[in-house]
Structure formats: C-alpha cells, structure tokens
Amino acid sequence: GAVVSQHPSRVICKSGTSVKIECRSLDFQATTMFWYRQFPKQSLMLMATSNEGSKATYEQGVEKDKFLINHASLTLSTLTVTSAHPEDSSFYICSAREVAGRETQYFGPGTRLLVL
Amino acid sequence: DAKTTQPPSMDCAEGRAANLPCNHSTISGNEYVYWYRQIHSQGPQYIIHGLKNNETNEMASLIITEDRKSSTLILPHATLRDTAVYYCIVRAPTGANSKLTFGKGITLSVRP
C-alpha cells in the first residue's frame, strides 16, 4: 500500500508552547488529507479535513484557531497545536487519500504528544 | 455515512482462520465497506474494501452478503502479529465530504 509518514513520532513540550506535526504522502499525490486524534483506549476521532490549497474543514467541537492546518501541496500537510495544554496530550494521526485510482485512504504512523 | 456494528472482541488460535463479522444494515447503495486494523500504538493499516462483490488480496478476504447488510473479514491463517483492533467502516464514494468515521472496532486476540 501507499506510504504516509509523520514527523516527529513523539514530542514532549511545555504547557503554552506550540507544536507542529508534519504529514507527508511519500509515493502518491493526495488531494485530501485528514487529521485524527486518539485518546487512550478510545477510537480515532476525526478533527479536520483539508484539501490542497484551501482552508480546512473542522469537525464540530474542534477549535480551528487552536489546531492550525496547512495543506500547502499535494504531498504535505501540517498540524500546529497552538498554546498546548496537558489536555491536548494525545496520539495524533494523519491520513491521506489518493488523487486517482480507488481513492483508498492511508494512515501515517501517528505522533505521540505529551504536554507537561 | 451509515454506521456499523461489530462484536467487541473475539479470539482465535494461531494458524486458524479468523472470521470477523460486521453489520451495516443501513448501508446505502453506493457506499463501500472498508476494513482497517490498528496494532497497538500505530496508525491504522488498510486491509481491504469492497462494494458488493467479494474481494481478496494478500492480506485477507472480504465476503459481502447479497443484500449488503453485513460482511465478514477473513484472515485465512491468523498469526500472533494479527492481534489488533479491526475496524469495519462504510464510506460514501468520491467527494470532498467522504470521510472515514471510526467506531469501536473489534479486538482480535490470536492465541498461540
């Protein structure tokens, strides 16, 4: 299957700082990328959907000013958690969908964020 | 998107077939059935998907009933590394608003 990478794989930061997570589709072009969040022992929750070159669409209850998403190219999307707090500690997972073909959605390995 | 119902857990013996059921009684005619799995602390891995015909790939087989209200994912020879949470998801086809919504999935435990 297609490969999606994320960087960093884990990050620890102090409360009040901002953290940027990168998501790249390595061997395909993705018109649409998705960001999910997963708390311990829970399922994945969709945070937002972004299409290349346009503003992201956020799910209900997700603050767009806190979780900044930039989808600047067909292979790169970034999620910035601004002014992070301990309750933002979670497992963040990005996903990318192919432009052509069967439009299967592939997932990155995830980024573990711990806010102290 | 239509919802799915899966048992919370099941187990099987290593080397045997694992048959994972999924109900999706409200599926629409153009919605696909997708299966993903998530091994602990990793991102979900795509397994297989189908519309109405049975599908097979190197990982698994997907059997969809004729009325499309349920499906079964079959891992023909389960190994210990197949222990994971398996998600059955129905999704509308192409379109900007087409997205994967995860339920609780079924936890498969493969025992030695």
Side-chain angles (χ1 to χ4, degrees):
Chain A
V3 180
V4 177
S5 70
Q6 278 184 244
H7 178 80
S9 59
R10 62 178 64 220
V11 58
I12 301 173
C13 70
K14 294 181 179 180
S15 185
T17 61
S18 294
V19 175
K20 179 185 285 188
I21 303 170
E22 287 189 353
C23 175
R24 294 180 185 273
S25 56
L26 298 186
D27 52 359
F28 68 98
Q29 292 186 320
T31 49
T32 307
M33 287 186 167
F34 307 83
W35 287 95
Y36 292 79
R37 178 168 56 181
Q38 185 176 34
F39 292 107
K41 298 187 178 181
Q42 294 186 23
S43 188
L44 284 77
M45 295 298 295
L46 180 65
M47 299 174 66
T49 302
S50 72
N51 293 296
E52 185 260 340
S54 62
K55 290 184 178 180
T57 302
Y58 290 81
E59 296 297 304
Q60 191 172 9
V62 178
E63 299 176 58
K64 63 179 182 180
D65 294 332
K66 181 169 182 61
F67 299 100
L68 302 179
I69 293 172
N70 187 303
H71 190 166
S73 75
L74 286 173
T75 59
L76 173 64
S77 176
T78 60
L79 168 68
T80 301
V81 183
T82 62
S83 187
H85 289 98
E87 58 265 31
D88 298 322
S89 298
S90 188
F91 191 48
Y92 291 85
I93 308 168
C94 75
S95 180
R97 193 160 71 200
E98 295 177 279
V99 173
R102 304 176 75 182
E103 288 211 15
T104 299
Q105 196 169 320
Y106 297 96
F107 287 80
T111 297
R112 181 83 52 192
L113 171 64
L114 176 61
V115 184
L116 302 177
Chain B
D1 290 342
K3 293 185 177 180
T4 64
T5 304
Q6 300 176 256
S9 64
M10 68 176 291
D11 62 25
C12 74
E14 188 177 19
R16 305 297 295 268
N19 298 312
L20 285 67
C22 180
N23 287 321
H24 30 79
S25 59
T26 60
I27 191 170
S28 299
N30 64 347
E31 288 182 318
Y32 285 77
V33 179
Y34 282 81
W35 282 84
Y36 285 80
R37 72 179 182 184
Q38 186 178 27
I39 296 170
H40 184 61
S41 295
Q42 297 182 23
Q45 178 187 22
Y46 166 78
I47 301 174
I48 199 167
H49 75 283
L51 183 62
K52 54 183 178 181
N53 296 323
N54 297 337
E55 300 285 344
T56 295
N57 62 21
E58 65 278 6
M59 290 183 67
S61 294
L62 174 61
I63 308 298
I64 302 174
T65 57
E66 193 168 342
D67 63 8
R68 302 207 329 121
K69 292 185 177 182
S70 65
S71 61
T72 301
L73 180 74
I74 301 173
L75 307 179
H77 306 287
T79 70
L80 298 179
R81 286 183 292 182
D82 290 324
T83 292
V85 179
Y86 287 76
Y87 297 97
C88 168
I89 305 168
V90 294
R91 197 198 90 180
T94 60
N97 293 325
S98 172
K99 53 194 177 186
L100 292 174
T101 301
F102 286 77
K104 296 182 179 180
I106 177 173
T107 300
L108 173 66
S109 299
V110 181
R111 61 181 186 273

